[in-house]
Amino acid sequence: MFEQFRRIANFYFLVATIIVMCINSPVSPWTSLLPLLFVVLVTAAKQGYEDFLRHRSDQEVNLAPVSVIRNGVSQELTAEQIEVGDLVLVGCDQDVPCDMILVASSHCNARCYVTTANLDGESNLKTVCLPVPLRRVRSADQLLSVRGFMECEQPHPDLYRFYGRLELSQPVPAPPPSATTSSQRISIDSITARFSQVLEPEEEALAAPLSAEHLLLKGARLRNTEYAFGCAVYTGKDTKMARNSVITRNKFSSMEKSINRLLLYAMTCLIVIVITSVVGSTFYKKSEGMAKVNNAYLGGYEDLETGEIINEILSYLILYNYLIPISLYVTIEMQKFLGSLFFTWDNQMYCIDSNRTAVCNSSDMNEEI
């Protein structure tokens, strides 16, 4: 309801409807109530439909299939089922399903490349490096011998800050002569060891700090790298993307701001007209012509009391309230909704590679483009 009545016109007609119901109004309350209900329902239906489309888009992301190793067993799960400590496999051109530390990469330089356009709008490639103790890891076979654990800080929304610690129980063995190249395929089913295993006290650990350069963020997309393994550290609402998706104030487009200013001007004119009418009515009732009018018809003239003056002001306000067009926002909402369809219908914004049309997530800001 706040979303609907934050608009000046809707709030104005709500006040007018309440006034009609509270005084001896010259018009029926339904003449104000029915148009107001129609306007609110049309606007709410449009915004509810857009919310439903966003919900459906969220479900597509949450139910995306991912390959995970959990308790030494490879599994095919959905993105929303990933838990902290799982080893997650990400292929080239795939989105990272959670925040995770890079633990293996097919790239020969112990790194991988990602784009973070979904996070910060930057389309250039960014480099994510393997932690120092894991720089020898190239293949799934080498991951079999890795034992260790990670410690990470509590989740927070800063995309460029991360601190943690990695400890291994023994050095990663050197790769065999036929080491994995960037073109080698891996079989996740061959991995049967669990990475997250607590160290025994007597084992000697290899420790290394973890920073933001080792972190693959949810929403980033793997590029120029055949595959990468990561150990999930933040999932669900703890990811940095989710932490940055906070509730913000409602946005107004420049056109809507202009309409609100014009409506304030119209309301000022309305108030001037009402005051003029009340003053003119008062002087007319004091005139000689009023005394000649049949008292049985108009009741004659008496000194106006405060309550009568207020009632007269409200009556004129109701008579003139259609100076503010209640159909204005209905027309604008329908124009925005139909305008958003033209984004989908525009062939010049169609992507052949992904077989997708342009998507308008919110039609409220169309005119800003």
Side-chain angles (χ1 to χ4, degrees):
M1 299 304 291
F2 173 78
E3 179 73 18
Q4 301 306 316
F5 291 109
R6 68 190 177 97
R7 291 173 168 171
I8 293 179
N10 290 355
F11 181 74
Y12 166 77
F13 279 100
L14 175 64
V15 173
T17 302
I18 295 174
I19 291 175
V20 170
M21 293 179 176
C22 294
I23 68 171
N24 186 16
S25 171
V27 298
S28 170
W30 293 105
T31 59
S32 297
L33 182 60
L34 290 180
L36 177 63
L37 288 176
F38 179 75
V39 170
V40 171
L41 290 177
V42 168
T43 307
K46 184 202 71 116
Q47 294 177 345
Y49 175 71
E50 292 177 351
D51 281 341
F52 170 73
L53 294 181
R54 285 191 287 267
H55 170 73
R56 191 167 64 180
S57 177
D58 289 342
Q59 287 298 100
E60 291 178 1
V61 175
N62 292 336
L63 300 178
V66 291
S67 299
V68 215
I69 301 173
R70 182 182 295 172
N71 299 326
V73 180
S74 62
Q75 306 178 37
E76 292 293 328
L77 305 175
T78 59
E80 65 182 4
Q81 294 176 316
I82 297 175
E83 298 178 357
V84 173
D86 289 344
L87 283 179
V88 183
L89 173 64
V90 180
C92 185
D93 295 330
Q94 289 183 350
D95 290 336
V96 179
C98 63
D99 292 350
M100 58 189 194
I101 297 296
L102 182 65
V103 294
S105 172
S106 63
H107 203 280
C108 57
N109 292 329
R111 63 188 63 186
C112 69
Y113 298 97
V114 296
T115 56
T116 57
N118 292 336
L119 297 169
D120 52 17
E122 298 181 7
S123 57
N124 57 305
L125 289 178
K126 295 183 178 179
T127 304
V128 179
C129 302
L130 280 165
V132 174
L134 299 175
R135 296 247 167 125
R136 288 184 176 184
V137 178
R138 296 287 184 275
S139 66
D141 293 335
Q142 286 181 285
L143 272 179
L144 295 174
S145 60
V146 175
R147 297 290 184 276
F149 68 89
M150 294 179 185
E151 286 183 337
C152 303
E153 62 181 342
Q154 293 296 320
H156 58 79
D158 193 342
L159 297 175
Y160 307 105
R161 181 173 65 86
F162 174 79
Y163 298 107
R165 184 169 63 97
L166 168 67
E167 285 193 15
L168 299 183
S169 59
Q170 58 186 8
V172 177
S178 58
T180 301
T181 62
S182 60
S183 63
Q184 181 181 356
R185 306 287 298 180
I186 69 166
S187 173
I188 192 172
D189 294 331
S190 65
I191 303 177
T192 57
R194 184 182 181 187
F195 179 80
S196 306
Q197 187 178 47
V198 180
L199 299 179
E200 297 295 335
E202 66 272 15
E203 292 178 322
E204 182 181 356
L206 293 175
L210 299 175
S211 63
E213 68 173 3
H214 307 125
L215 185 64
L216 289 166
L217 295 175
K218 174 182 171 61
R221 178 163 293 185
L222 193 66
R223 297 289 192 184
N224 297 346
T225 309
E226 185 179 354
Y227 64 86
F229 271 106
C231 182
V233 291
Y234 303 130
T235 62
K237 295 182 179 180
D238 290 334
T239 61
K240 294 184 180 293
M241 173 185 278
R243 291 271 170 169
N244 281 278
S245 300
V246 296
I247 298 177
T248 58
R249 64 182 181 87
N250 294 316
K251 295 181 180 180
F252 283 97
S253 63
S254 57
M255 185 181 73
E256 196 164 357
K257 291 178 181 178
S258 299
I259 291 174
N260 283 339
R261 285 194 295 268
L262 291 173
L263 288 178
L264 287 174
Y265 172 75
M267 291 177 66
T268 303
C269 294
L270 175 64
I271 293 173
V272 172
I273 294 173
V274 169
I275 293 175
T276 304
S277 299
V278 172
V279 173
S281 174
T282 302
F283 277 106
Y284 175 70
K285 290 179 179 180
K286 289 182 178 182
S287 65
E288 293 181 359
M290 179 62 186
K292 299 177 182 180
V293 176
N294 188 347
N295 289 342
Y297 179 64
L298 293 179
Y301 170 75
E302 297 177 358
D303 291 336
L304 293 177
E305 298 179 356
T306 303
E308 294 177 353
I309 294 177
I310 293 176
N311 186 78
E312 194 163 351
I313 291 175
L314 295 179
S315 297
Y316 278 112
L317 185 65
I318 296 303
L319 288 173
Y320 296 142
N321 73 52
Y322 293 105
L323 184 65
I324 310 293
I326 194 170
S327 61
L328 174 64
Y329 278 114
V330 175
T331 307
I332 292 174
E333 292 297 335
M334 295 306 297
Q335 180 270 331
K336 287 181 176 182
F337 177 73
L338 295 176
S340 66
L341 298 179
F342 280 87
F343 285 98
T344 306
W345 296 338
D346 194 339
N347 291 330
Q348 293 184 348
M349 290 196 287
Y350 171 75
C351 179
I352 300 178
D353 296 336
S354 61
N355 191 27
R356 293 185 63 186
T357 59
V359 177
C360 181
N361 290 324
S362 176
S363 61
D364 290 334
M365 306 297 288
N366 284 355
E367 59 270 21
E368 293 297 313
I369 299 181

